[in-house]
């Protein structure tokens, strides 16, 4: 059975962010992930994590101005300096919080634009090499067009081929089952094909992005396959609870 990490950006949102760590631990989670810790000092987040006795699975590099519509900086040629600063910030936070893995978001840019493609590739190489020096893993995640219209990285084969082509040991794929199903379907075959380069997995029901066992996929079968491919990392529960978080946790006993 996979080991699950609560996503504190989506779950336990009935309480302020720093109180979600204790709530996740009380609910039985041993690890957490979230999108961004940057609204708080790194030490404050690290203290909340450690006080709750939790492990940190992953968080994202700074995405730019999220409220203004930024969804990452890596493919934006006119924001290279901001990307470099974001990389330094992410590594500093990752070291303080002892996070083994960072997700580099691509940004909103045409996926066929040559300048965006070149910029993304260069930034990805740089981020992989700099995180490797810090002993940190890096993942890239294709995201579906319904949830994130215009997002640069929106194809699993393209992301997988880029990981293989750049061939950095610490650079792998963030395989979000929710996005895979919406973008391409064929989840189990893709898990088997991409298994050697899967650095992180996330789950949510399709189409509503709620708890497991409530969507169109056979989540029990997918969890069996995640075990079968030999994935031993955390599976991030990146879902929006259909009601109160704790009321929706029955799936953990039912899988
Ligand atoms: O949305 C997702 O699936 C990603 O995992 C993310 O963190 C950016 O929103
Ligand atoms: Mg995801």
């Amino acid at each position: 059975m996979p080991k699950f990490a609560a996503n504190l950006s989506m779950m336990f949102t009935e309480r302020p962010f720093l109180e979600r760590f204790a709530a996740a631990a009380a609910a039985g989670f041993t690890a957490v992930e979230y999108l961004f810790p940057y609204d708080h000092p790194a030490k404050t987040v690290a203290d909340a994590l450690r006080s709750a006795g939790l492990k940190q699975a992953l968080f994202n590099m700074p995405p730019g101005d999220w409220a203004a519509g930024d969804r990452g900086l890596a493919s934006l040629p006119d924001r290279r300096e901001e990307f470099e600063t974001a990389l330094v910030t992410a590594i500093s936070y990752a070291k303080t919080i002892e996070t083994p893995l960072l997700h580099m978001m691509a940004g909103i840019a045409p996926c066929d634009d040559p300048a965006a493609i070149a910029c993304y590739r260069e930034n990805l190489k740089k981020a992989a090499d700099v995180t490797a020096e810090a002993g940190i893993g890096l993942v890239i995640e294709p995201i579906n067009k319904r949830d994130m219209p215009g997002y640069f990285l929106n194809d699993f084969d393209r992301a997988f081929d880029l990981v293989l082509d750049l061939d950095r040991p610490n650079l792998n794929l963030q395989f979000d089952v929710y996005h895979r199903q919406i973008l391409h379907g064929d989840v189990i075959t893709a898990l088997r094909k991409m298994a050697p380069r899967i650095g992180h997995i996330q789950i949510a029901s399709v189409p509503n992005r709620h708890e497991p066992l409530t969507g169109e996929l056979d989540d029990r079968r997918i969890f069996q396959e995640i075990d079968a491919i030999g994935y031993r990392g955390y599976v991030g529960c990146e879902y929006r609870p259909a009601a109160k978080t704790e009321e929706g946790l029955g799936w953990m006993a039912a899988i």
Side-chain angles (χ1 to χ4, degrees):
M1 181 60 65
K3 51 185 185 181
F4 296 101
N7 185 299
L8 301 186
S9 299
M10 309 269 276
M11 299 173 70
F12 301 101
T13 56
E14 298 87 358
R15 49 188 65 75
F17 178 73
L18 293 173
E19 294 174 20
R20 298 175 195 171
F21 293 81
F29 287 98
T30 57
V32 294
E33 63 174 37
Y34 35 77
L35 271 66
F36 314 110
Y38 310 108
D39 287 345
H40 307 275
K43 173 90 172 52
T44 304
V45 177
D47 289 346
L49 182 80
R50 293 188 190 109
S51 307
L54 294 168
K55 292 271 187 217
Q56 180 71 44
L58 157 124
F59 54 75
N60 301 342
M61 285 177 53
D65 185 343
W66 186 271
D70 288 337
R71 292 297 181 268
L73 301 162
S75 66
L76 310 179
D78 59 345
R79 298 180 69 179
R80 289 173 192 269
E81 275 186 34
E82 197 177 342
F83 175 82
E84 306 248 348
T85 304
L87 184 53
V88 171
T89 302
I91 289 174
S92 171
Y93 267 72
K95 285 180 176 174
T96 303
I97 301 171
E98 294 181 15
T99 300
L101 203 54
L102 288 169
H103 167 213
M104 184 188 90
M105 293 191 71
I108 304 295
C111 59
D112 57 356
D113 173 62
I117 292 169
C119 179
Y120 182 78
R121 185 182 176 89
E122 284 162 36
N123 280 334
L124 184 53
K125 279 187 204 169
K126 186 177 305 170
D129 293 343
V130 172
T131 50
E133 283 165 24
I136 297 167
L138 188 72
V139 286
I140 57 173
E141 179 192 37
I143 294 180
N144 84 74
K145 301 167 189 173
R146 183 162 70 222
D147 284 87
M148 215 169 273
Y151 191 71
F152 173 77
L153 192 65
N154 56 25
D155 182 280
F156 273 67
D157 283 336
R158 194 161 155 231
F160 183 61
D161 290 345
L162 196 51
V163 166
L164 294 178
D165 185 33
L166 294 190
D167 193 25
R168 265 79 167 167
N170 73 313
L171 173 60
N172 290 290
L173 189 68
Q174 179 161 306
F175 193 112
D176 189 322
V177 170
Y178 170 76
H179 294 309
R180 174 71 204 185
Q181 174 64 4
I182 291 171
L183 282 168
H184 312 289
D186 212 15
V187 175
I188 286 178
T189 301
L191 279 168
R192 290 172 178 167
K193 173 187 171 188
M194 300 179 179
R197 300 314 299 259
I198 292 178
H200 190 62
I201 293 177
Q202 294 174 319
I203 54 155
S205 75
V206 180
N208 298 322
R209 208 167 193 177
H210 287 332
E211 287 84 350
L213 308 186
T214 66
E216 67 194 38
L217 290 174
D218 180 350
D219 292 321
R220 289 186 182 89
R221 180 72 190 81
I222 288 171
F223 295 160
Q224 288 166 6
E225 193 63 33
I226 289 172
D227 286 341
I229 62 172
Y231 176 75
R232 294 292 174 264
Y234 286 104
V235 172
C237 299
E238 196 175 37
Y239 68 79
R240 274 187 298 274
K244 281 192 174 302
T245 303
E246 285 85 346
E247 291 169 3
L249 292 175
W251 65 269
M252 297 177 82
I255 51 177

